[in-house]
Amino acid sequence: MAKVQVLSDQVANQIAAGEVIERPASVVKELVENSIDSGATSVEVEFKSGGKSYIRIEDNGCGMCREDALLSLKRHATSKIRKADDLENIMTMGFRGEALPSIASVSKFLLQTREKGTDSGAEILIDGGKTVHEKDCGMPGGTRMTISNLFNTVPARRKFLKSVATESAHIVHHTRLYALAHPEVAFTLIDDGRVLFRTPACKRLSDRVGEIFGKAIVSKLMPIDATEGEMRLSGLIGKPGQSKTSRHEMLVFVNGRPVENRTLGYALIESYHGHIPKGRYPVAFLFMEIPPRLLDVNVHPAKREIRFRNETQVRGFAVRTILEALNQTAKSSSPTYESVRLPKEDKSIELSLLNDSDEDVSSGKEKVSPPSGKAVLKQSRRLVKRIESVETKGFESEKKSRHKVARVDAQSSAVDRSGADVKVSSGSGVPVDWVFVGWSGRGFALFDSNSGIVLLDAKSAQRRVLYERLRRQFSESKTESQKLLLAVPVEFDPVSAALLEDQTELMTSYGFEIEPFGRNFFRIEAVPTWLDESESENFLREVVEMLRLDKISKENTELAEDRLARFAALKSSRAENELGKSQLDALLDELFSCTNPLADPDGKPTFVELNQAELNRRFQRKPKDEAMDLY
């Protein structure tokens, strides 16, 4: 019996589906690409249960006749290419002809389509790769594809799918990508009967970004548009200082196709170095146009990744374009250069920030145009010298008095009214031999002990205490909140808004009171007592981002409580560097009541102890030398 056999079409399609159709979002991606290629000006995407039970993609494109509809369900049937050389000129989304037969082999697949100009359409129903029926149907011009019971023929694949929230998030993400890539096409996204977003055709990219991500974000973006050789880079990027905690809003499109490409991703992050905090990501919607022969879109089975023929050239072009835009914006938004006058006590010296010339007699102030290059460095050095001379001349007495007060405060804080050393309370396990000495300039409390010296990081200690306090409140459902005198309005993109509406009960259990206030708008009516009102909007946005990433959910409350408490403790703006004696005593009592007083929630130490042996080693002392200190 022959050992080598030709696989049946059904098995071959199911194997191909394993490469092309990874999850429900892959189905949406492939079918939306077909809709765009058909010339559609309107695309509607609907799904239920994260796409596991139901997906519908409907468009008003050119449609197909019955013959073409039947051929489209054959493997490697495509209207995009005829020969291998055509791959070098591909400008369409799909081209391999694997999507439809692969999807139909692992689901219940209904195709309804009508070619424009014909009297009736065609309907084809396939279940698990087997044709159930084909017949005429009535429908408007275009194509409607309905997928039910995804992976019903390969149940093992269903086990690898994530939660409904996660799979829904992937579908939303892919739909938003194609809506951004093609502003000229109207998009509607429906999840379990609820419209997540409905955006009309837009003439400008900024309009589409506002429709999907919220109009508030548009004001924080700036346009770019540059050409070099056969390449063009355009789009919208965040102004200096605008950043996010994730890459969700760092999007790249090449020839209208949303892609992942390390070259452009690294170029974007590299360009923002120094313009945003470390560990944050820029906001960007980048569109690269390049001849198809200069890139390979056939790298990944799902066409998710691309490769440029000359990666170095593309990267250099992208970095130069983005840096130029950032620098121009920074220059245009720089403050007016005016003179700085000293206090009235010393009128003999007047400093100009960068120059001594160009006095405006009528205003009495010196106005100088922003300099550049070597002049800035030279003038800055001169300014530093002059400031130093002013400090030593005009503020010497103030410095001395301030230092004197600081020394007195440090000494008095270590001694109570009776003149005895103040020892830290031991009611909660605090070492009784810790004697407070004073504060360093960077928020470290210094203690003397029988075994050596101790340095306490006040902020780390406060974060550990707050973390464990919140964990107890969450577990006991006793989170305290405070009403705001004036509600804080917040606008979210449609997806985040829908997610927040679903999780209102969860947010209430954590101390927030949030009310809907129009389309995609909310009002923060109350916040947890540990959260400062000024930080309420930013903190809420961070929490919603964690919800989107499925880091916290009401399905896993223990994990959600831990992550939210950890996040809150690290983000809290209430931590103070220097505390009074009573505050410090209370902090230490709470710290040593914690299950882990040695580290904050991020793993950083709360205090460091240097014993006498370590001090002797560092100062190159021998134990017998200590006796000499008595004389």
Side-chain angles (χ1 to χ4, degrees), residues 396-411:
E396 189 64 33
S397 60
E398 182 182 352
K399 280 186 175 182
K400 289 181 179 178
S401 63
R402 187 166 60 246
H403 292 167
K404 182 178 180 181
V405 170
R407 286 195 298 271
V408 171
D409 288 344
Q411 294 170 359

Side-chain angles (χ1 to χ4, degrees), residues 474-515:
F474 292 159
S475 61
E476 298 171 1
S477 301
K478 295 181 179 179
T479 306
E480 299 177 355
S481 62
Q482 57 183 359
K483 280 278 189 179
L484 299 182
L485 183 62
L486 296 175
V488 178
V490 186
E491 181 189 15
F492 287 97
D493 63 84
V495 178
S496 297
L499 186 60
L500 184 56
E501 285 184 7
D502 286 344
Q503 303 290 347
T504 302
E505 184 179 345
L506 179 68
M507 299 304 297
T508 302
S509 67
Y510 293 144
F512 287 93
E513 187 177 320
I514 302 167
E515 296 292 336

Side-chain angles (χ1 to χ4, degrees), residues 338-356:
E338 293 184 342
S339 62
V340 175
R341 300 184 182 274
L342 294 176
K344 293 180 180 180
E345 288 74 15
D346 190 350
K347 297 182 180 179
S348 60
I349 302 176
E350 186 177 68
L351 295 181
S352 172
L353 281 181
L354 291 175
N355 210 330
D356 297 328

Side-chain angles (χ1 to χ4, degrees), residues 22-300:
E22 302 175 34
R23 60 195 335 150
S26 304
V27 174
V28 173
K29 170 188 177 298
E30 295 290 344
L31 299 186
V32 168
E33 286 182 351
N34 287 342
S35 295
I36 294 172
D37 286 343
S38 71
T41 59
S42 177
V43 177
E44 185 169 285
V45 179
E46 182 180 6
F47 65 94
K48 298 177 182 178
S49 302
K52 300 176 185 179
S53 62
Y54 180 85
I55 298 174
R56 176 180 63 85
I57 313 291
E58 188 167 350
D59 65 63
N60 64 348
C62 63
M64 295 181 286
C65 63
R66 176 177 290 195
E67 290 76 14
D68 284 345
L70 289 169
L71 284 173
S72 69
L73 295 167
K74 301 292 183 182
R75 197 168 180 219
H76 302 315
T78 177
S79 62
K80 313 296 174 60
I81 59 176
R82 293 290 183 269
K83 55 185 184 298
D85 292 344
D86 292 342
L87 288 172
E88 294 189 358
N89 297 295
I90 287 291
M91 294 297 292
T92 54
M93 300 290 102
F95 53 85
R96 294 200 193 99
E98 292 178 300
L100 294 187
S102 298
I103 296 170
S105 68
V106 293
S107 67
K108 186 176 181 180
F109 180 82
L110 178 63
L111 169 62
Q112 296 169 302
T113 182
R114 182 171 78 84
E115 194 173 23
K116 292 181 177 179
T118 59
D119 297 331
S120 63
E123 177 180 301
I124 303 171
L125 177 62
I126 298 177
D127 192 356
K130 298 179 180 179
T131 302
V132 177
H133 70 244
E134 53 179 273
K135 61 182 182 180
D136 292 339
C137 72
M139 65 169 294
T143 302
R144 180 190 303 129
M145 285 173 273
T146 307
I147 296 90
S148 307
N149 302 324
L150 186 62
F151 298 131
N152 61 347
T153 58
V154 280
R157 291 290 303 279
R158 294 180 69 91
K159 296 179 181 179
F160 286 91
L161 297 179
K162 304 298 182 181
S163 66
V164 170
T166 300
E167 297 299 340
S168 298
H170 282 283
I171 292 177
V172 170
H173 175 66
H174 281 286
T175 306
R176 292 201 304 179
L177 286 179
Y178 285 96
L180 287 169
H182 298 275
E184 73 282 359
V185 180
F187 270 85
T188 301
L189 180 62
I190 305 172
D191 178 9
D192 283 326
R194 182 183 58 192
V195 177
L196 294 185
F197 68 80
R198 189 191 305 275
T199 170
C202 302
K203 293 183 178 179
R204 300 181 303 175
L205 175 63
S206 57
D207 295 334
R208 176 57 55 89
V209 172
E211 289 285 342
I212 295 178
F213 290 92
K215 293 179 173 54
I217 194 177
V218 178
S219 62
K220 302 175 183 178
L221 301 174
M222 57 183 179
I224 61 169
D225 195 342
T227 303
E228 185 176 291
E230 297 182 285
M231 299 181 295
R232 181 189 177 193
L233 186 65
S234 60
L236 298 169
I237 61 174
K239 295 177 181 178
Q242 300 301 321
S243 62
K244 295 289 182 179
T245 56
S246 69
R247 300 172 184 258
H248 271 295
E249 292 169 24
M250 197 176 84
L251 305 176
V252 175
F253 306 84
V254 176
N255 291 347
R257 182 193 303 276
V259 297
E260 295 177 7
N261 180 258
R262 291 185 178 182
T263 298
L264 290 175
Y266 287 154
L268 189 58
I269 294 175
E270 180 182 346
S271 301
Y272 272 86
H273 180 70
H275 292 280
I276 59 176
K278 186 178 180 181
R280 308 268 300 183
Y281 296 96
V283 179
F285 308 94
L286 287 183
F287 290 78
M288 170 74 79
E289 296 176 25
I290 188 171
R293 69 177 188 279
L294 299 181
L295 57 87
D296 184 4
V297 297
N298 208 27
V299 178
H300 193 275

